[in-house]
Amino acid sequence: MQLILILIVIAGGMGLSVEAGLLGPLGREVGDLWATFSVFGVGAALTFLLMLFFSPRNSPSFFAQPSWQLLGGVLGPIYVTILTVATPAIGIAMTMIGILAGQVFKSLIIDHFGLLGTTHRKIDSKRVIALIFITAALVMVAQG
């Protein structure tokens, strides 16, 4: 099961690269914020349709959850706007490696301290080495 989830996550990462490639030209044509809005508008409509058919009807209220858990709604548009602005300037590969470096760095901190309700996973040498390799990839792509 873990292998299937890893493959799904890899496919999701590939989708983000495609999204970044689409957002750059769209942002040039309609403006960066309109491009960002389009991603969330289409995504919200699709998610609403999926909820109608697949979401359990007796799930807890969205509004009963702690407000800090809704920060993803603030971070999402910031992330997509960064993709829209950065991709045409530095390319998809550089953008995605930079995003990945930031994600891994912050993820290690979140896991290490068990922040945001996650399971505590200590930073070990393998995780640090992985971050070093990602940073090296960022430097090599930037120089190439």
Side-chain angles (χ1 to χ4, degrees), residues 23 26-27 29-41 81 84:
L23 282 169
L26 182 61
E29 293 296 320
V30 301
D32 296 331
L33 295 177
W34 280 105
T36 299
F37 179 74
S38 74
V39 167
F40 286 96
T81 303
T84 306

Side-chain angles (χ1 to χ4, degrees), residues 108 111-113 120-124 127:
L108 290 176
D111 277 353
H112 182 75
F113 293 106
H120 172 39
R121 292 177 176 89
K122 290 188 74 95
I123 294 177
D124 59 14
R127 292 173 182 239

Side-chain angles (χ1 to χ4, degrees), residues 16-17 20-21 79 82-103 134-144:
L16 288 176
S17 294
Y79 169 77
I82 289 169
L83 287 182
T84 306
V85 173
T87 301
I90 63 174
I92 296 172
M94 187 69 183
T95 302
M96 289 294 113
I97 295 171
I99 292 285
L100 179 62
Q103 287 174 333
I134 292 167
T135 304
L138 183 64
V139 170
M140 286 190 279
V141 170
Q143 291 175 347

